Amino acid sequence: DNIDLEAAAERGIVVMNAPDGNTVAAAELTLALMLALVRHIFPAHQSLREGRWDRKKFEGAELRGKVLGLVGLGRIGQAVAVRAQAFGMTTIGYDPKKGPEVFAQVNTTFVPLEELFARSDIISLHAPANASTRGMINAQTIALMKDGVRIINTARGVLIDDAALAEALCSGKVAGAALDVYAEEPPPADHPLIGLPNVVATPHLGASTAEAQIAVSVQAAQEIRDFLLRGEVSNAVNGARKPQPAGA
């Protein structure tokens, strides 16, 4: 998101990423946010720190038996599905780029996007940012959702219309949201979602584990090595020409 991919391609610069190293870290954060949201972990913690004992105020919900809708079933979406099922959740998903074999591998049912919105108790976003996904959580799609739905976003901030979600959170249509990503990072002080009592917000921690940082660094180094020594390109995200091996 921080590189002009077209400009790089025009200059013959191959842009590669290292997508595998942070998969587990991002998936685990998604589950952590989900649990924090349904069990009111952060407001309960703050309440106790302030000297109160508000057990009745923070009655939560279980993940067991809930329907989790996964928008995007790439590496992270698949990892979330497997972990959510360990909590007894039913997983449904939408990803137009994945075939039925991918859904079968993680015991997840493919459904059209509108059906996913209508059936899910919790919706977790794992889609890339493009013309078809920007603002996909908006007033119209929120209206399709169950009353009391919860929304998790560890993918891209631009997937959500912040003003529409804020309105739905204030009205109670959406019971809660957990966000790790924002359209502008860091988000502005007047961001409409941060600070709402039913929002959990973290500063883009998806890949922020010691293990993920090592794994991503190693993968990036291997990709550069293979590029320079053998002209091999892996995980390219733009259309630059394939280089010639060194000395060719």
Side-chain angles (χ1 to χ4, degrees), residues 171-186:
S171 72
K173 170 67 178 181
V174 176
L179 311 171
D180 187 50
V181 290
Y182 311 89
E184 179 185 346
E185 296 186 352

Side-chain angles (χ1 to χ4, degrees), residues 210-231:
E211 296 88 345
Q213 291 301 302
I214 292 171
V216 169
S217 299
V218 169
Q219 185 177 4
Q222 291 171 337
E223 290 176 357
I224 293 170
R225 175 201 64 194
D226 295 342
F227 180 94
L228 294 174
L229 295 180
R230 296 187 291 274

Side-chain angles (χ1 to χ4, degrees), residues 162-217:
D162 294 335
L165 180 56
E167 182 177 346
L169 285 160
C170 291
S171 72
K173 170 67 178 181
V174 176
L179 311 171
D180 187 50
V181 290
Y182 311 89
E184 179 185 346
E185 296 186 352
D190 60 350
H191 193 284
L193 296 170
I194 297 174
L196 292 179
N198 48 353
V199 170
V200 175
T202 51
H204 204 151
L205 300 179
S208 295
T209 66
E211 296 88 345
Q213 291 301 302
I214 292 171
V216 169
S217 299

Side-chain angles (χ1 to χ4, degrees), residues 1-247:
D1 293 343
N2 298 307
I3 297 173
D4 188 330
L5 300 180
E6 292 184 4
E10 290 171 358
R11 291 161 176 78
I13 300 171
V14 179
V15 180
M16 299 180 283
N17 67 358
D20 300 320
N22 65 355
T23 296
V24 171
E28 289 185 356
L29 178 65
T30 301
L31 267 294
L33 291 173
M34 203 178 301
L35 286 164
L37 194 61
V38 300
R39 297 305 301 267
H40 310 298
I41 298 297
F42 291 113
H45 168 73
Q46 186 63 32
S47 173
L48 191 59
R49 286 190 63 177
E50 294 170 355
R52 299 193 300 276
W53 188 257
D54 295 328
R55 290 187 65 194
K56 293 182 180 179
K57 179 179 179 181
F58 297 116
E59 181 179 280
E62 297 181 4
L63 296 183
R64 180 185 58 174
K66 301 299 189 296
V67 176
L68 173 62
L70 297 162
V71 181
L73 208 69
R75 288 174 299 273
I76 296 171
Q78 292 173 47
V80 170
V82 172
R83 286 154 178 78
Q85 290 159 20
F87 283 89
M89 302 186 81
T90 297
T91 54
I92 60 177
Y94 172 80
D95 192 324
K97 295 186 177 181
K98 295 291 185 292
E101 69 283 352
V102 173
F103 284 83
Q105 286 171 2
V106 291
N107 195 30
T108 297
T109 303
F110 173 86
V111 296
L113 189 56
E114 289 189 357
E115 182 178 340
L116 184 147
F117 288 147
R119 288 179 54 188
S120 299
D121 298 299
I122 300 174
I123 296 169
S124 188
L125 304 179
H126 303 284
N130 55 44
S132 65
T133 61
R134 289 177 184 271
M136 68 188 311
I137 304 300
N138 54 54
Q140 290 72 36
T141 54
I142 290 172
L144 301 173
M145 299 175 189
K146 291 182 177 180
D147 292 343
V149 67
R150 294 175 172 90
I151 297 172
I152 317 290
N153 188 12
T154 57
R156 293 290 184 269
V158 295
L159 304 182
I160 292 177
D161 179 330
D162 294 335
L165 180 56
E167 182 177 346
L169 285 160
C170 291
S171 72
K173 170 67 178 181
V174 176
L179 311 171
D180 187 50
V181 290
Y182 311 89
E184 179 185 346
E185 296 186 352
D190 60 350
H191 193 284
L193 296 170
I194 297 174
L196 292 179
N198 48 353
V199 170
V200 175
T202 51
H204 204 151
L205 300 179
S208 295
T209 66
E211 296 88 345
Q213 291 301 302
I214 292 171
V216 169
S217 299
V218 169
Q219 185 177 4
Q222 291 171 337
E223 290 176 357
I224 293 170
R225 175 201 64 194
D226 295 342
F227 180 94
L228 294 174
L229 295 180
R230 296 187 291 274
E232 294 179 1
V233 175
S234 56
N235 297 311
V237 293
N238 70 340
R241 60 180 176 79
K242 183 175 180 179
Q244 295 298 315

